[in-house]
């Protein structure tokens, strides 16, 4: 409900009610990860989205790849979306409190 997408740096950002919770880059789906859901990604041996800008070191973002077995299970995928949205909203609240 309220999910939209926008193109961004060669991929797409996924938003719920204007807050980004995921992205698709090079055909790979990534969700927002934080304290509340990171363990599940680590358990599935997922990796964070990483990019290199210029000649600098790789930069990892707080968006991790959604495991294939999760994408193939609609009920689990909904739970992972909800967790990613919760993490995104928490970060959004903290950011706008300052």
């Amino acid at each position: 409900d309220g999910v939209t997408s926008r193109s961004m740096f060669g991929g797409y950002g996924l938003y719920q009610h204007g807050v980004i919770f995921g992205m698709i880059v090079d055909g790979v789906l990534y969700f927002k990860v934080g304290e509340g859901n990171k363990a599940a990604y680590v358990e599935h041996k997922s990796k964070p989205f990483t990019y290199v800008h210029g000649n600098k070191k790789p930069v990892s973002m707080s968006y991790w790849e959604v495991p294939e077995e999760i994408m193939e299970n609609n009920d689990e995928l909904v739970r992972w979306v909800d967790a990613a949205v919760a993490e995104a909203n928490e970060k959004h609240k903290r950011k706008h409190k300052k």
Side-chain angles (χ1 to χ4, degrees):
D1 177 31
V3 175
T4 58
S5 65
R6 288 197 296 250
S7 64
M8 56 185 276
F9 50 84
Y12 294 91
L14 303 173
Y15 299 80
Q16 185 174 55
H17 304 296
V19 178
I20 188 167
F21 72 91
M23 57 188 193
I24 301 169
V25 180
D26 294 329
V28 179
L29 177 61
Y30 299 90
F31 284 161
K32 182 74 173 166
V33 171
E35 293 293 319
N37 64 347
K38 186 174 183 179
Y41 289 83
V42 171
E43 180 182 322
H44 282 85
K45 297 177 176 48
S46 178
K47 302 281 187 231
F49 174 74
T50 304
Y51 69 96
V52 177
H53 183 71
N55 293 338
K56 299 180 182 172
K57 287 183 177 180
V59 176
S60 292
M61 295 180 67
S62 59
Y63 292 87
W64 288 47
E65 187 173 344
V66 178
E68 192 172 322
E69 60 268 23
I70 299 303
M71 290 192 292
E72 293 173 352
N73 180 328
N74 286 342
D75 292 337
E76 248 337 85
L77 184 59
V78 167
R79 282 191 276 281
W80 282 51
V81 167
D82 290 344
V85 167
E87 291 300 326
N89 284 330
E90 183 62 33
K91 177 161 179 147
H92 184 76
K93 277 191 252 178
R94 284 193 312 264
K95 184 178 176 183
H96 287 87
K97 251 186 177 178
K98 295 178 182 180

